[in-house]
Amino acid sequence: MIEKIFSHLREFPFSLFFILLLSSFNIHISNAQKVSSDEVLEEIKNLEPTIIEVSSKLWDLAEVSSEELKSSKLLKDHLTQNGFKITMDGIKGVPTSFVAEYGSGSPILGIMLEYDALPGLGNSPLPKKKAREDGITSGHGCGHNLIGSGALGSALALKSLINKSKIDGTIRVFGAASEETEGAKVYMARDGLFDDVDAMLHWHPGNATGAFNVRTSAQQQIYVEFQGKATHAGNTPWQGRSALDAVELFLHGVNNMREHVKPTARIHYIIRDGGKAANIVPDYASLQMTFRDATRADVEASVEWLEQMAEGAALMTQTTTLFVPYYGMHDLLPNAPLAKRMQEHLEALGSMPFTPEEQKFAKELQAEVDLKPTGLIEAVLPLPNEPTTGGSTDVGDASWITPTMGVVVATIPENIGLHTWMATASHGTSIGEKGAVHAAKALTLLGWDILTDESLRVEMQQDFEKRTDGFTYKSPIPDIIKEPISLPEDQRSFGSVIELRNSLLNQEHDHEHAHSHTHGNR
């Protein structure tokens, strides 16, 4: 038998035999680099105290968008202490954002960190509405303390696995500040920071646990103002032109528009300034609004309609208007191969291990707001079939540039909403901390697959290219907007908000003048 084998080998060309031998050697090397799921999870177990500590500190800080200076520093310190290099700091017009890297070569795996809180949602970590004793009134009602800590844990675990396995690959951590207002990810996308990333990972707290295989809505944030003429409202009203009337007419048009938009559209607004006294005709009024829909194209078409309404309201009231779509987001693009692999990992991890005490807290919290006390959902949801949700995320812009996938993990009781004091309370307890640890496990398992499984990378790229065929990314932020409008004045690098407004007014005037000149020459 052995002689027969050798006789066959003698008939093989030597070059082919060498290739086969080399191939088997490569397979051996590949197997030596493989890491079991248990080894991946052991890394997270070692990092669990760090994840919990960072989650707690971020919850305590509760810094709102554009003011996350201490929160950003906390995360950067943990990264640098663990060998990451801060490659960009205070970047792309968002001072509290950053980029950190570990490793070298390809593939490049991106991981998103968020860490801003919401104003007015501060609460003690109790199942009742109770202000914090330290007087802080903001709170992590969306669980960004958990996003920051859980994603940090995953980045640190993947760094350790790269070291132990001695493989090529780069972990790139994006400190994505100000997600709740004018998120840094869209500024990063506009400046090409995701262009060389092979895949992006993210996660979000929620009512249940499952793969983030959904499409969030595209969105546009808009500032509208009207300028009129002030006068005595009783003595000489005919001399005035009410900017508030223009706002009211504009919003009347907006609310009539609701009848004719798609069911996926969402329109919401606030009047920021409607005048100072009832007996003065307001010469200035302004509002802020958000328009959402399933796709970026749907949003842009409706924003054009809204601008026409503003111009019409100005004509009807003999006022002037400034209409600025100053910030927006793309819808979130799923990726089927990554979603399937994420689902497999979640099912292998199993149900969330909530204790009877944690379930008791959840039920008391539900009862406090007159909800049925069903507690926390422990089971893993089936893989969603890419439904469209009403909410938006600036992760969407990254997803149109590189294959992107995330996970949602139960951190609040069933039927409790995010952006509430109840969510803030839950996110300050062991319930939220368990969610952050669980998310870190799922992100690390999928992240390690992306780094080491070439076939998965091919599949995810093919899916991405099919979905984006014919698409060219265009930022929803106008070129004239260099930094978030909501930045505090002492953090601005491109002039004050007043200077920006004047630039916008000048741009609007130049546009109108050019239009009139062209029209006159016809």
Side-chain angles (χ1 to χ4, degrees), residues 28 79 172 189 244 249 272 327 332 340 342 355 385 396 404 414 417 424 445 448 464 470 491:
H28 174 74
L79 287 164
R172 186 176 295 168
L244 180 58
L249 281 169
R272 298 185 64 89
Y327 180 84
L332 181 65
K340 181 175 179 292
M342 176 65 85
T355 65
N385 188 25
T404 300
E414 186 177 16
T424 297
L445 287 165
W448 189 244
F464 175 76
Q491 292 188 39

Side-chain angles (χ1 to χ4, degrees), residues 176-411:
S178 306
E179 192 275 341
E180 298 291 1
T181 54
E182 300 165 72
K185 300 184 195 78
V186 186
Y187 284 89
M188 292 173 174
R190 182 171 73 169
D191 285 0
L193 298 193
F194 305 141
D195 290 356
D196 64 340
V197 175
D198 290 285
M200 188 73 72
L201 296 179
H202 65 105
W203 86 277
H204 207 285
N207 297 106
T209 302
F212 210 122
N213 195 40
V214 301
R215 298 192 73 133
T216 59
S217 296
Q219 180 233 75
Q220 190 71 49
Q221 297 177 29
I222 307 162
Y223 170 80
V224 189
E225 72 173 35
F226 294 90
Q227 194 77 43
K229 295 179 182 179
T231 190
H232 193 296
N235 285 341
T236 55
W238 57 87
Q239 294 180 356
R241 295 294 182 266
S242 173
L244 180 58
D245 286 351
V247 165
E248 290 181 307
L249 281 169
F250 172 71
L251 292 178
H252 181 68
V254 168
N255 288 315
N256 283 325
M257 178 192 193
R258 293 183 193 275
E259 183 181 355
H260 306 291
V261 295
K262 295 179 180 179
T264 47
R266 301 287 187 273
I267 311 170
H268 25 286
Y269 56 79
I270 58 171
I271 298 175
R272 298 185 64 89
D273 192 333
K276 305 303 180 188
N279 62 349
I280 303 173
V281 173
D283 65 348
Y284 174 82
S286 66
L287 63 99
Q288 187 175 349
M289 69 183 304
T290 300
F291 190 96
R292 306 176 199 253
D293 212 332
T295 70
R296 187 74 216 153
D298 288 335
V299 168
E300 289 175 356
S302 294
V303 169
E304 185 177 347
W305 186 4
L306 289 167
E307 186 170 13
Q308 292 168 354
M309 288 183 202
E311 292 168 353
L315 284 171
M316 284 189 286
T317 54
Q318 293 189 333
T319 59
T320 58
T321 184
L322 176 63
F323 183 96
V324 187
Y326 63 91
Y327 180 84
M329 305 174 194
H330 280 73
D331 45 304
L332 181 65
L333 188 68
N335 187 282
L338 292 180
K340 181 175 179 292
R341 187 67 63 91
M342 176 65 85
Q343 185 71 17
E344 291 170 359
H345 287 310
L346 289 172
E347 290 176 1
L349 288 171
S351 299
M352 291 290 293
F354 293 122
T355 65
E357 292 76 18
E358 289 164 343
Q359 289 287 7
K360 180 174 180 289
F361 178 98
K363 291 175 182 178
E364 289 177 358
L365 193 59
Q366 290 168 321
E368 182 71 13
V369 290
D370 299 322
L371 290 173
K372 187 177 179 181
T374 55
L376 295 147
I377 298 173
E378 298 183 347
V380 178
L381 295 177
L383 182 64
N385 188 25
E386 302 185 9
T388 297
T389 68
S392 305
T393 173
D394 58 357
V395 176
D397 283 69
S399 74
W400 285 91
I401 298 170
T402 186
T404 300
M405 184 46 56
V407 63
V408 60
V409 178
T411 61

Side-chain angles (χ1 to χ4, degrees), residues 16-59:
L16 179 59
F17 178 76
F18 182 78
I19 290 170
L20 290 173
L21 182 63
L22 184 61
S23 174
S24 67
F25 179 73
N26 286 338
I27 290 170
H28 174 74
I29 294 296
S30 177
N31 288 336
Q33 293 172 348
K34 284 186 177 178
V35 173
S36 69
S37 295
D38 288 343
E39 290 175 281
V40 173
L41 296 179
E42 186 66 26
E43 294 294 337
I44 296 297
K45 184 178 180 181
N46 295 336
L47 287 161
E48 191 169 324
T50 299
I51 295 170
I52 292 172
E53 176 194 351
V54 172
S55 168
S56 178
K57 286 183 177 179
L58 290 174
W59 191 91

Side-chain angles (χ1 to χ4, degrees), residues 7 68-69 75 174 202 292 344 400 411 424 439 465 472-473:
S7 67
E68 323 101 303
L69 296 170
L75 292 164
F174 293 91
H202 65 105
R292 306 176 199 253
E344 291 170 359
W400 285 91
T411 61
T424 297
E465 289 175 358
T472 300
Y473 177 79

